[in-house]
Amino acid sequence: MDEPGEIQSTFPTPPAHYVRYTSSNLQLLSQLKTKLGSDAPSYHPASDDLPYPDVQAIRQQHNLLSDARGVPDWDLLELQPPRVDWIVEEGGYSTFGEQWSIPERQPTVEEIGVRQLYPADPNVDRRPYLQQLLHTLLHNHFEMLGALLEAPPIPTQADPEPTPAWLRLTEWTEIAGVNMIMAVNDLRSLQARATLEGMMETQVRNRRDDARAINERCDAIEAMLGKLKDQSLEYKTLLEGESDYTLIEKQPTKTSTDVPIVSQNDLMEWAEDVKPASK
């Protein structure tokens, strides 16, 4: 039974060349450049004109580093970084089998090999042409539905290999789609600016709403504090009024007669005195 394949990343793995950048190899490279002196090239890329690996350079490397240990069987000069000035002079570089230009430039529709359906002038507004391209794509889609239901064309002497309608619509849809994608890519800067403006307007609006909510809450708190203050003043006035009324009730009242106050004991003694004697 075959073992399941290894799950690989979406991005390509780095070349195995990076494992050669060890401390010992870099020290050997420094020693080699010192012994080569002015004859040491600043960069030694693999060229189509020279055989790879360069056996003569590797043999010279072993002769110069005969007193060192761990000299590899490949050219140490490959560890040198590429010359940036050469890349700028050549106008690009290649990596992972693809060529990249410096400075990076977006190819035009004609450079891709497709007919351009909108003006190449960047100052022309692309929005009307984008609407026309969208209508073209929708129209081709509806026509494609009908073309797929038609019978294949019959060859004739005048046209031994007739082109079916669906193939013509497919090619035209591809051309319109490429033009639409390229036109939209030209508007990326405007889209980024509009998105940034929208984000800033949203932030300002949210801050204004937050400030308005805080002000409303502050007004509500001030009104509540005012009511509490009024209630406390009313309660204080009520307490002061009750205290005055209590003092008035506690004041002694003056009698209108000079009759002395008789206690209960005095009253009982008087009753015994006036009690008639029993017969």
Side-chain angles (χ1 to χ4, degrees):
M1 183 177 179
D2 297 338
E3 296 182 358
E6 181 182 358
I7 299 177
Q8 297 182 356
S9 175
T10 305
F11 299 97
T13 56
H17 187 74
Y18 77 96
V19 298
R20 298 181 177 180
Y21 287 88
T22 60
S23 301
S24 59
N25 289 339
L26 293 177
Q27 291 179 1
L28 292 174
L29 174 62
S30 178
Q31 296 177 12
L32 179 61
K33 293 176 65 177
T34 302
K35 293 185 178 182
L36 287 175
S38 59
D39 297 335
S42 58
Y43 179 52
H44 185 71
S47 175
D48 296 336
D49 301 334
L50 299 176
Y52 184 81
D54 192 350
V55 180
Q56 183 178 359
I58 296 175
R59 187 180 296 110
Q60 182 184 10
Q61 169 180 294
H62 280 275
N63 293 333
L64 294 175
L65 300 177
S66 58
D67 55 344
R69 294 182 179 180
V71 179
D73 295 333
W74 42 269
D75 195 354
L76 287 170
L77 295 177
E78 295 179 0
L79 299 179
Q80 297 185 108
R83 289 283 299 271
V84 179
D85 53 344
W86 290 2
I87 295 176
V88 175
E89 182 180 355
E90 294 178 359
Y93 63 95
S94 61
T95 178
F96 293 109
E98 295 185 4
Q99 187 71 22
W100 301 88
S101 59
I102 296 179
E104 187 176 358
R105 185 180 63 86
Q106 186 72 19
T108 62
V109 180
E110 295 180 353
E111 291 177 354
I112 297 177
V114 180
R115 176 185 173 187
Q116 188 165 352
L117 302 178
Y118 60 90
D121 187 3
N123 298 323
V124 177
D125 189 6
R126 306 291 173 82
R127 288 174 293 182
Y129 297 96
L130 286 173
Q131 293 180 356
Q132 295 177 6
L133 291 172
L134 179 59
H135 293 163
T136 301
L137 291 174
L138 294 176
H139 181 72
N140 289 347
H141 176 73
F142 291 129
E143 285 193 356
M144 180 70 72
L145 296 177
L148 293 175
L149 299 177
E150 295 179 357
I154 300 175
T156 60
Q157 294 181 355
D159 190 4
E161 295 181 358
T163 302
W166 62 266
L167 181 59
R168 175 179 55 82
L169 293 173
T170 301
E171 295 176 353
W172 184 244
T173 302
E174 181 180 1
I175 294 174
V178 171
N179 278 268
M180 191 171 187
I181 292 174
M182 298 298 291
V184 170
N185 288 336
D186 293 339
L187 297 176
R188 292 298 182 187
S189 58
L190 298 178
Q191 180 185 7
R193 180 177 179 179
T195 303
L196 180 60
E197 291 178 355
M199 292 175 58
M200 296 178 66
E201 291 176 356
T202 303
Q203 292 178 1
V204 171
R205 184 167 55 254
N206 292 338
R207 290 183 179 180
R208 288 178 178 175
D209 294 340
D210 295 341
R212 187 181 302 106
I214 292 173
N215 292 332
E216 292 177 356
R217 179 63 62 180
C218 291
D219 295 340
I221 293 174
E222 289 180 357
M224 185 181 299
L225 292 176
K227 291 181 180 179
L228 292 175
K229 183 178 180 180
D230 296 339
Q231 291 178 1
S232 63
L233 292 176
E234 292 177 359
Y235 184 70
K236 182 179 180 181
T237 304
L238 181 61
L239 290 178
E240 291 178 353
E242 290 181 354
S243 61
D244 295 340
Y245 181 74
T246 304
L247 292 175
I248 293 174
E249 287 184 347
K250 289 183 178 180
Q251 289 180 358
T253 57
K254 295 182 179 181
T255 57
S256 59
T257 61
D258 295 334
V259 179
I261 299 174
V262 180
S263 63
Q264 185 177 4
N265 294 330
D266 296 338
L267 182 61
M268 294 300 294
E269 291 178 358
W270 176 80
E272 291 292 338
D273 293 340
V274 298
K275 182 178 179 182
S278 59
K279 295 180 179 180

